Amino acid sequence: MMETLLGKTLPELQDVALAVGLKRFAGKQLAEWLYVRRATTFDEMTNISLAGRQALAERYTIGRSRPVAEQVSRDGTKKYLFEALTPHGKQFVECVFIPDADRATLCVSTQAGCRMGCRFCMTGAHGFHGHLSAAYILNQIFSIPESAQLTNLVYMGEGEPMDNIGPVLRSLEIMTADYGCAWSPHRITVSTVGAGEGLDRFLKHSECNLAISLHNAFPEERAEIMPAERLRPVRQALNWAAQQDFRHQRRLSFEYIVWHGMNDTMRHAQQLRRLVAPFAPQCRVNLIRFHAGVDTRFPATDDRQMQWLCDYLNDNGITTTIRRSRGEDILAACGMLAGNPDLARFLQ
């Protein structure tokens, strides 16, 4: 099987150039064609000799592929389905394009499925089907029709990014490096359910924003709906986060899906305030309506209680917003991605 160039860093591309008989500086040219000009064929690389392009084509592939299916929500959100090859075989993964006034955000997947096992999440119910390489992560960003419009990225699609930290960090480097896309890291947010080696590496090696999927501020209650709490305790994640500078560098946010009677009471509100207060006023709490895409025991709270919780936190110095739901009618909202191959068969 030929190697893929997409997802390689500049030093690796310099090694590729040398391996096919080109000068080392051709690695920088390859990076520009891949990440700036977004070439999809070697023929486009006109400042590389014909012999060099032929040698590259004999040993490497670009690594770009178009989505195999697309769905459009009535609110303008678009969900794209991609094929990806993982150690578990060929899989399907989804990403979501969210246009909103002057912002255009892509919600990116980092795994096919997820192994965190959150009880309320369709992705978790789908099971785990393999890590995505940096090439497949970047392909989502580069190969949607709206790629040139993107202003922000959120690594909040299928999978736990910190559970696949090597390819995630590689993709973040390429998106933010001068030789790559040269994005500001502040335009990218990466989510996590909690602590672990991956989060430690992310905090040390990336300046991108961090979003912690919290959903309950009591560890024992959180563990009931998010089993990863037992191995990836959120309090440890907060201890690590406390060592970061969230005032002048990366931003910190907390994601909080709200369920009736389960995490929207005064007791929960007070505990949530206590937990995130050390990060105020720099942090933000995003309250999220629950989308019951699978048969669960989790009742969504009503708008009145959601607004009460938002007001309580804001009144107590915690910047809080209610995230507007997008794409629910096409199963593209928070926690609803499941890499459904039936979508591809239906639309073909």
Side-chain angles (χ1 to χ4, degrees):
M1 181 181 296
M2 292 193 292
E3 285 189 60
T4 297
L5 292 187
L6 189 67
K8 289 188 179 296
T9 62
L10 178 58
E12 291 169 336
L13 291 173
Q14 290 170 335
D15 289 342
V16 166
L18 294 174
V20 297
L22 296 170
K23 299 295 185 180
R24 188 174 183 83
F25 69 80
K28 184 67 164 60
Q29 294 173 317
L30 284 172
E32 182 177 0
W33 283 111
L34 290 169
Y35 305 131
V36 180
R37 302 192 187 187
R38 310 287 178 92
T40 58
T41 68
F42 290 110
D43 289 339
E44 297 173 62
M45 303 180 180
T46 52
N47 61 351
I48 296 176
S49 68
L50 178 59
R53 282 179 272 157
Q54 290 174 338
L56 287 165
E58 289 172 0
R59 297 179 56 177
Y60 299 95
T61 63
I62 298 291
R64 292 282 299 278
S65 62
R66 295 180 179 180
V68 297
E70 169 188 346
Q71 281 184 302
V72 183
S73 167
R74 56 177 170 261
D75 64 23
T77 299
K78 295 182 180 180
K79 183 169 70 171
Y80 291 101
L81 188 74
F82 285 91
E83 288 186 356
L85 187 64
T86 77
H88 294 224
K90 186 176 76 171
Q91 305 295 333
F92 291 91
V93 296
E94 296 175 332
C95 66
V96 180
F97 172 69
I98 309 166
D100 187 12
D102 59 347
R103 291 172 63 93
T105 302
L106 185 67
C107 181
V108 180
S109 291
T110 57
Q111 296 175 315
C114 184
R115 56 183 176 186
M116 296 300 102
C118 298
R119 309 300 188 203
F120 50 85
C121 179
M122 284 183 66
T123 308
H126 177 57
F128 175 70
H129 302 285
H131 299 299
L132 297 186
S133 67
Y136 284 119
I137 295 172
L138 291 168
N139 185 58
Q140 297 169 67
I141 302 168
F142 291 176
S143 295
I144 64 167
E146 300 84 3
S147 180
Q149 304 173 27
L150 293 176
T151 62
N152 297 84
L153 294 174
V154 291
Y155 282 51
M156 296 182 182
E158 294 182 53
E160 162 59 49
M162 307 305 172
D163 191 38
N164 188 27
I165 191 60
V168 166
L169 284 176
R170 179 182 288 264
S171 70
L172 293 176
E173 175 183 336
I174 289 166
M175 288 302 304
T176 58
D178 289 341
Y179 71 80
C181 299
W183 273 37
S184 165
H186 299 161
R187 296 169 61 185
I188 305 174
T189 300
V190 182
S191 71
T192 186
V193 300
E197 178 188 355
L199 177 58
D200 187 37
R201 288 178 60 187
F202 170 77
L203 292 173
K204 289 177 179 177
H205 299 293
S206 173
E207 295 182 359
C208 293
N209 302 323
L210 176 66
I212 296 178
S213 297
L214 184 57
H215 310 317
N216 198 304
F218 291 104
E220 63 279 5
E221 294 183 20
R222 187 173 187 265
E224 291 179 2
I225 60 172
M226 303 174 71
E229 166 67 21
R230 298 183 179 93
L231 294 176
R232 301 165 182 261
V234 74
R235 287 187 182 275
Q236 183 179 342
L238 294 178
N239 289 339
W240 289 349
Q243 302 173 36
Q244 307 295 311
D245 184 355
F246 287 101
R247 293 170 299 174
H248 307 297
Q249 298 180 20
R250 71 173 97 234
R251 295 192 304 272
L252 174 65
S253 60
F254 296 91
E255 311 300 301
Y256 197 87
I257 298 175
V258 189
W259 295 287
H260 175 65
M262 294 181 62
N263 66 351
D264 65 347
T265 68
M266 176 58 79
R267 179 175 70 92
H268 291 93
Q270 291 173 335
Q271 181 66 7
L272 176 58
R273 174 181 57 80
R274 285 191 290 266
L275 192 68
V276 305
F279 300 96
Q282 287 77 30
C283 74
R284 176 183 298 271
V285 173
N286 293 315
L287 302 180
I288 304 169
R289 291 181 173 84
F290 178 58
H291 308 290
V294 293
D295 183 17
T296 73
R297 299 163 296 160
F298 302 100
T301 198
D302 58 33
D303 291 346
R304 181 178 177 181
Q305 191 68 7
M306 178 86 79
Q307 190 61 56
W308 169 82
L309 180 57
C310 182
D311 291 342
Y312 171 84
L313 293 171
N314 277 309
D315 290 345
N316 283 275
I318 309 298
T319 302
T320 305
T321 59
I322 298 174
R323 182 185 293 173
R324 185 158 59 98
S325 180
R326 299 290 300 271
E328 185 175 4
D329 56 317
I330 58 170
L331 301 183
C334 181
M336 303 185 83
L337 301 186
N340 186 2
D342 291 333
L343 175 61
R345 290 193 290 269
F346 176 76
L347 293 178
Q348 285 175 350

